[in-house]
Amino acid sequence: MAPAIVDDIMVKLENPTVKWITVAACVGGGGYLAVKMSLFRKNPFQVFSGKTGAMAKNLVDSGISSYNEFFNQEDGKGVGDKKLSTPEFVNKFYSLITDFYEYGWGESFHFAAREVGESFEKSIIRQETAIAETVGLKAGMKCIDLGCGVGGPLRNIVKATGAHVTGITINEYQIERNKLLNKAAGIEDLSDVVCGDFMDLHKVFKPNTFDAAYSIEAMCHAPDTAAIYKQVFKVLKPGALFSSYEWLRTNKYDPNNKLHVDVVDGIAKGNALPDVRTIEDCIAAAKSAGFEVQYTFDRATTGGVPWQAAMKSARRAAYLTHILTGVLEFLRFAPKGTQAVHTMLLKAAVNLEKGGDLGIFSPMYLIVMKKPVA
Ligand SMILES: C[S@@+](CC[C@H](N)C(=O)[O-])C[C@H]1O[C@@H](n2cnc3c(N)ncnc32)[C@H](O)[C@@H]1O
């Protein structure tokens, strides 16, 4: 029976029309499966169509132009006197790039120290549980995640510790994603999400509300480190710990070296940072906020695989995405400006890699602080 069917198909395939329809169906179906299942974590047609995006289609082009203008900084001075408007542009940045990050990187928008042989996903979770350990998080405690993104770390930390975590982000679209993903993960009872500016935490939460706080690669967006640390200080209970993975210039950074200055400026511009600080800046900010600094530690110096290696291995997919965004934009399927957003992210990735390779920049300089008991 089977051979008869095969014979029948072979005869039909001799007909040129049938043959070309079959070839087209195989190529189309194979391409679709490759796009959907292997090359990309999310379906690019859905992601870049503007159907799931954070920003109205007609605003993407002007959004990326005004963002680029605001963060156009060339001389190692950050955004200068425009600092106070940073949160508004950070919000615009995340409206433009949240889908790209989630699509290309995953639900956790941060880097990780990685051991040789460890998967990217495992290293991300280890990075998250490590910060939870530094604040002694466990079941029964109430914690705040400052700058929670779409909640990848929050979900993993809730699952690992059993603590209750409230996430805050300035970006409304990220709140939508959090709600959806937290529900799917079954952690609604142990989590909460709030849309707001963490520079105004005292307007959202009462003083002495939380038993612990952590922030993963988010304090770097604050226009003023001492001011944001002061906000966190207020909402913590006495004796509570606050840990942050900071994006910092290391002591290898030389302000007289043009390459160093250009790379760090490129990191700031491509990631919506008002400037890039040092660990000394953070320690001084912590003390002026009233915290006792317990310890600081550059986690980028640990692990056998440098944190920036994950970007190098994702580069091929990133270039494919770049071509795809151009094609989708040309076909008017993706909003005008989509490829410009991706160009910004590609440049940011190149500078981050260079910063890591030169050792002048760390995205995971840990600082652990304590609110004194009395
Ligand atoms: C690089 S992402 C990190 C997200 C998350 N911590 C993670 O690792 O997945 C930075 C986050 O900080 C948030 N953020 C930046 N500035 C903020 C502000 N002024 N108030 C509240 N959230 C802010 C952004 O919306 C974004 O969610």
Side-chain angles (χ1 to χ4, degrees), residues 56-205:
K57 270 184 167 189
N58 60 335
L59 296 182
V60 173
D61 199 31
S62 59
I64 182 66
S65 304
S66 65
Y67 171 85
N68 277 338
E69 222 161 277
F70 185 83
F71 282 95
N72 198 12
Q73 45 194 5
E74 304 294 341
D75 57 357
K77 299 243 163 32
V79 295
D81 55 10
K82 295 181 289 183
K83 262 189 181 173
L84 285 179
S85 324
T86 310
E88 184 194 324
F89 278 85
V90 169
N91 186 18
K92 185 171 280 181
F93 174 79
Y94 282 103
S95 292
L96 289 164
I97 63 83
T98 290
D99 279 335
F100 276 106
Y101 271 17
E102 212 187 318
Y103 155 77
W105 199 256
E107 290 172 22
S108 294
F109 293 178
H110 62 82
F111 295 104
R114 190 163 160 197
E115 298 298 345
V116 178
E118 185 179 37
S119 72
F120 171 73
E121 286 75 15
K122 278 206 175 128
S123 68
I124 286 283
I125 294 178
R126 205 163 50 78
Q127 186 87 355
E128 294 162 354
T129 47
I131 201 168
E133 276 167 24
T134 65
V135 295
L137 208 57
K138 53 180 187 295
M141 288 173 77
K142 264 176 73 103
C143 178
I144 180 162
D145 176 334
L146 299 138
C148 63
V150 297
L154 182 151
R155 284 182 287 284
N156 290 329
I157 287 174
V158 164
K159 283 186 206 155
T161 64
H164 184 285
V165 183
T166 300
I168 180 166
T169 168
I170 198 162
N171 187 262
E172 217 170 308
Y173 176 63
Q174 293 186 343
I175 294 289
E176 260 178 58
R177 296 294 300 146
N178 268 283
K179 286 188 177 156
L180 212 84
L181 296 167
N182 292 354
K183 189 170 178 194
I187 58 140
E188 277 174 307
D189 290 351
L190 284 177
S191 63
D192 220 341
V193 275
V194 175
C195 190
D197 183 351
F198 54 40
M199 302 308 293
D200 284 331
L201 271 189
H202 69 282
K203 293 187 184 163
V204 188
F205 302 105

Side-chain angles (χ1 to χ4, degrees), residues 253-254 256-265 351 354 358 360:
Y253 174 87
D254 174 3
N256 300 313
N257 182 323
K258 171 103 174 77
L259 175 65
H260 289 191
V261 173
D262 287 350
V263 165
V264 169
D265 278 353
N351 283 306
K354 282 189 193 160
L358 291 164
I360 59 172

